[in-house]
Amino acid sequence: MSYVSEVLEELIRKNPGEKEFHQAATEVLTTLEPVIEKNPQFQKAALLERLVEPERQLKFRVPWVDDKGNVQVNVGYRVEFNSAIGPYKGGLRFHPSVNIGIIKFLGFEQIFKNSLTGLPIGGGKGGSDFDPKGKSDNEVMAFCQSFMTELYRHIGADTDVPAGDIGVGGREIGYLYGQYKRITNRYESVLTGKGLTYGGSLARKEATGYGLVYITAEMLRAHNDTLAGKKVVVSGSGNVAIYATEKAQQLGAKVVALSDSNGWIYDEEGIDLALVKEIKEVRRGRIKEYVQTRTNAEYHEGKGIWTIPCDVALPCATQNELNGDDARTLIKNGVLAVAEGANMPSTLEATEEFLKNKIMYIPGKAANAGGVATSALEMSQNAQRLSWSFEEVDQKLQGIMVNIYRQISEAAAAYDAPGNFVLGANIAGFLKVANAMMDQGIV
Ligand SMILES: NC(=O)C1=CN([C@@H]2O[C@H](COP(=O)(O)OP(=O)(O)OC[C@H]3O[C@@H](n4cnc5c(N)ncnc54)[C@H](O)[C@@H]3O)[C@@H](O)[C@H]2O)C=CC1
Ligand SMILES: O=C(O)CCC(=O)C(=O)O
């Protein structure tokens, strides 16, 4: 049995039931076989065994009182996975599905993603099974204050810097930051995605979606093509989906579909993004409300968004939202390019289909890295006590995404798999972290 297989077998034995973590680790580690062969010192230093074990894993009680006066209890998590190249960095997810396996998969992915940005940030992730949907602002604030009352002792501008993810946007970051400041009496860059009046960075809100489209455009450019005139399907309708749609439209593409966890909309004339922003960002409503105003558009309950024929597919909702059958349908319908705004939206089978059929395909850890990269730019601005213009941040973001595309292409080519950006992203992201870990001894 190979070293990689032994590590994976042991990981599954030690972490039973954490299926998303098993999936993420399998995807990464199986592509590292050739790197391990070339670098036997990694095995001697038990590097992979150390890499798959978080440096620290926190689980805590989050009690709060709802509007009716009832006491509610949720579970909070923070997994500080790897600090070889910088302070732990990664978002918080508030969603009823959250469990330790999901937080660990996200934290594990974050290690390699953050490495690909070229910026000094380690990997971490956190969250809670709290569901902000249907809660009043007062209840969300009560929950966030209780969550931070435990979390504050573990984080810090040079230790661990959380941000948003599913269910955590500007409102939640504001309440979390307020409570951190109140407890610690420190005004520091302990969270990113902050509001613009208290240390946030221009373009952070847009960064994940914009970055996704910049790297997609770069991949098309490398194939002498552009986004102009392309038919695009975007899943989700949250932060990443909205700003991916905005940038794709600015570059001349026609985005025809969006979704949420209830269903999906199809608008043949192109999505009216101002309407989507009003529904999702202002009213916090459901995507089906779109067809009440745009009566020519269609709404379909449930899954099925990947049956829409398109040139470019941008999954921006959640993990495992695109399975093997969905991939085969997209390919049959002529998809040219797939780039992931969400973390691990494609199952291992779907990924295999894209690679086997030579579809231009960029996995999430490379394609959605613009969000965390811009968070690191927010940290830099806070450290300098400066704020940069939107154009300056956006320019840096574009440069970072082009650089990620170059790194993943070069690594894929160097390991005899040109165009395989799953392998390219994993190897390029891994090598920097692995070399830093080797330099720092057995820790
Ligand atoms: N916000 C950020 O900066 C980054 C987010 N991501 C990833 O992007 C994805 C979306 O995150 P955000 O847009 O920030 O969250 P969000 O909370 O703003 O939006 C999530 C969207 O996905 C939809 N969704 C959730 N579960 C779904 C399901 N089962 N089927 C269909 N739609 C579903 C929700 O209805 C919502 O529209 C997640 O995978 C997240 O981890 C990745 C990098 C950075
Ligand atoms: O901005 C950040 O720190 C993290 C964003 C995030 O959660 C992610 O990259 O998945």
Side-chain angles (χ1 to χ4, degrees), residues 93-95 105-106 110 113 125 133 163-169 204-205 207-209 235-242 259-263 280 285-287 302-303 305 315-319 321 340-345 364 367-372 375:
R93 176 175 293 190
F94 293 169
H95 192 270
F105 116 66
L106 290 163
Q110 203 80 43
K113 178 194 308 192
K125 200 85 183 195
K133 216 180 281 167
D165 188 77
I166 291 180
V168 179
R204 172 62 188 91
K205 183 173 71 175
T208 310
S235 66
S237 49
N239 172 265
V240 181
I242 287 176
S259 64
D260 64 18
S261 45
N262 293 110
K280 286 287 169 181
R286 306 307 300 166
I287 201 67
K303 293 183 184 301
I305 192 167
C316 294
T318 194
Q319 66 272 4
E321 55 162 309
E340 298 180 340
N343 284 306
M344 206 171 74
N368 70 37
V372 74
S375 279

Side-chain angles (χ1 to χ4, degrees), residues 281-315:
E281 294 186 335
V282 181
R283 284 192 250 152
R284 296 182 190 275
R286 306 307 300 166
I287 201 67
K288 70 173 169 209
E289 294 165 34
Y290 183 89
V291 296
Q292 290 164 6
T293 307
R294 292 276 284 197
T295 47
N296 286 339
E298 300 165 19
Y299 174 71
H300 300 265
E301 200 74 19
K303 293 183 184 301
I305 192 167
W306 307 120
T307 59
I308 303 169
C310 60
D311 303 307
V312 176
L314 303 176

